Amino acid sequence: MTPAEPKMTRSQRVRSKALRVASDLFYANGVRAVGMDQIVDISGIAKTTIYRHFPTKDMLIEAFLQAEDAEFWHQWDQAVSGADAGIGELEALCRWIGDRVRRDGYRGCPQINVAAEFADYDHPARAVARSHKAEMLRRLTSICARTGVSNPSVLALQISLLLDGAFMSDGRLNGFDAPAVLIQAVRRIVASG
Amino acid sequence: MTPAEPKMTRSQRVRSKALRVASDLFYANGVRAVGMDQIVDISGIAKTTIYRHFPTKDMLIEAFLQAEDAEFWHQWDQAVSGADAGIGELEALCRWIGDRVRRDGYRGCPQINVAAEFADYDHPARAVARSHKAEMLRRLTSICARTGVSNPSVLALQISLLLDGAFMSDGRLNGFDAPAVLIQAVRRIVASG
DNA sequence: TCCTTTCACTACCGATCTGTATCGATAGTT
DNA sequence: AACTATCGATACAGATCGGTAGTGAAAGGA
């Protein structure tokens, strides 16, 4: 994830490292629980420098979610690549997500978590979260349409709710074969469509 | 919700009001965003008094979630009362939840939101949230068993993920007939079980 | 009516928060 | 080697955080 490409300038390298350290702390502890001083201590980057790249903490949080968004779709594309169009893509996504939510240190969808922390609907980070979920719904609708069902938008909405529930299942899936549970549910939702 | 019963002592009335004001602020703004001073200002109750009833802010948050939990199951019981056992109960719950998530000021499940704010797995508030979700899974399993399916625990898990997704759908259900969307999904999940 | 408990109010504590000012060191470029 | 932009480090500002101490008023039971 965001490997240090040697083509970057020093400024870009420093910015990248600051964002990476901040993102790890934000995700593991929650954005409000992490202070800028903590990011300074762990990254070894001066506070002045961080504030030159990210003028406010809110903008740093926004950049965190945007990077998570990009990384998410990168992995999404990898998961569906090679899968049969339609139901095959859905199953591939279920396998990917089912594994993802049981990884060590998994603490839910960062977009959802940040949205829960900020009540202000117009907070820039919440705008990123909304567009993330809108994009997910768009992609699921496109896949559902490929399965040939008559009402792909409703089906995609139902599947998106199921997957969001899986994201914040908080360990409830640990006692089960998570991918299988998700695949079975998705199959049944799509089946009689 | 928690009407001021005249049988309470003065101490109980004050405690109840403090918890009610704190709960409203916590839910609307997020627990970390609300300071104790804010609760003091809006409730008109002295900070010393609040701290006598709730020794720490964490315990106040815990009490908030416990009260939300009790209120949730109260409404749950009302929603399923009179419904036909099994699928009828599930449909009644879908109608209740579908309406609930589109109410003004709805900002997701408080248990999920608070869990997202605290990374510490052992935080007392997160213990309340986990037992809340465990109870929900238990009740759904019981209902699914009443429908006569062969694997009620897996079905209940799938339905609980769908409903949790609905809780934090963040307006995605607003353009749809939310109860109908949920009922259709639940029916299909249960159908071929 | 008296007496005890509980209350509201004010002021305060140390810690932590986001964000800024200053300055000397360092890296990349010419 | 010299110049310029960016860096790390320290110190600080102003606000807010959770939580405590002390005091006088008010409520409730006898």
Side-chain angles (χ1 to χ4, degrees), chain A residues 57-75:
Chain A
K57 187 187 178 183
D58 281 344
M59 294 190 193
L60 179 56
I61 296 169
E62 186 183 7
F64 156 56
L65 285 194
Q66 283 169 342
E68 287 287 336
D69 177 74
E71 175 64 18
F72 184 87
W73 299 124
H74 177 68
Q75 292 189 27

Side-chain angles (χ1 to χ4, degrees), chain B residues 99-160:
Chain B
D99 289 337
R100 166 182 265 252
V101 302
R102 291 187 299 178
R103 284 191 312 207
D104 267 8
Y106 186 77
R107 219 178 69 81
C109 169
Q111 316 282 344
I112 294 173
N113 289 346
V114 170
E117 290 204 59
F118 293 104
D120 180 12
Y121 186 85
D122 297 321
H123 191 287
R126 290 201 55 181
V128 176
R130 268 195 306 278
S131 88
H132 175 84
K133 293 302 174 189
E135 171 69 11
M136 183 163 159
L137 192 54
R138 204 176 307 129
R139 292 190 182 217
L140 287 175
T141 305
S142 169
I143 295 178
C144 284
R146 244 168 278 154
T147 67
V149 297
S150 61
N151 50 352
S153 65
V154 172
L155 256 57
L157 176 60
Q158 290 163 336
I159 293 174
S160 82

